[in-house]
Amino acid sequence: MRIFLVPVFLIIQAIGYDAKTKILKVNYKSGSIYTYFQVPAQIFQTMLTTYNLGIYINSHIRGNYHYQRFIPRYI
C-alpha cells in the first residue's frame, strides 16, 4: 500500500491506497483510521491533486463506498 503524508491538512495525517485491492485508507490526527473498499484508482489520483482533501472526501468518498472505522483506545 502506498502511504502519503499530508501535512497541509489540519485533521488528516496520511492517506494510502492499494491499487490491487482498491482499498483506500485515511488516517486522521485523532487516531481514527477509515478503510474504504472498492475505490477506483482515479478517485485516489484525484485526491492527490485536490485543493481541499477534507471537502473531497466528504463529497466523493463518504456515503459512496463501504468502509470500516478503527478507533484506537488509549490507556
Side-chain angles (χ1 to χ4, degrees):
M1 176 172 291
R2 294 169 49 190
I3 300 293
F4 295 87
L5 295 180
V6 188
V8 296
F9 297 101
L10 298 175
I11 63 169
I12 298 171
Q13 182 175 18
I15 57 174
Y17 183 75
D18 186 325
K20 185 175 181 180
T21 60
K22 296 183 180 180
I23 290 178
L24 170 70
K25 288 199 176 197
V26 181
N27 296 24
Y28 290 88
K29 289 185 179 180
S30 67
S32 295
I33 301 170
Y34 283 77
T35 303
Y36 294 94
F37 302 97
Q38 296 301 311
V39 178
Q42 182 60 36
I43 294 290
F44 178 69
Q45 291 299 322
T46 304
M47 285 179 70
L48 297 178
T49 60
T50 190
Y51 176 74
N52 188 316
L53 189 57
I55 290 174
Y56 187 84
I57 289 171
N58 285 333
S59 61
H60 293 89
I61 307 292
R62 287 191 180 155
N64 293 318
Y65 301 98
H66 292 286
Y67 71 91
Q68 192 171 38
R69 181 180 180 195
F70 171 76
I71 303 172
R73 294 184 184 213
Y74 298 101
I75 298 174

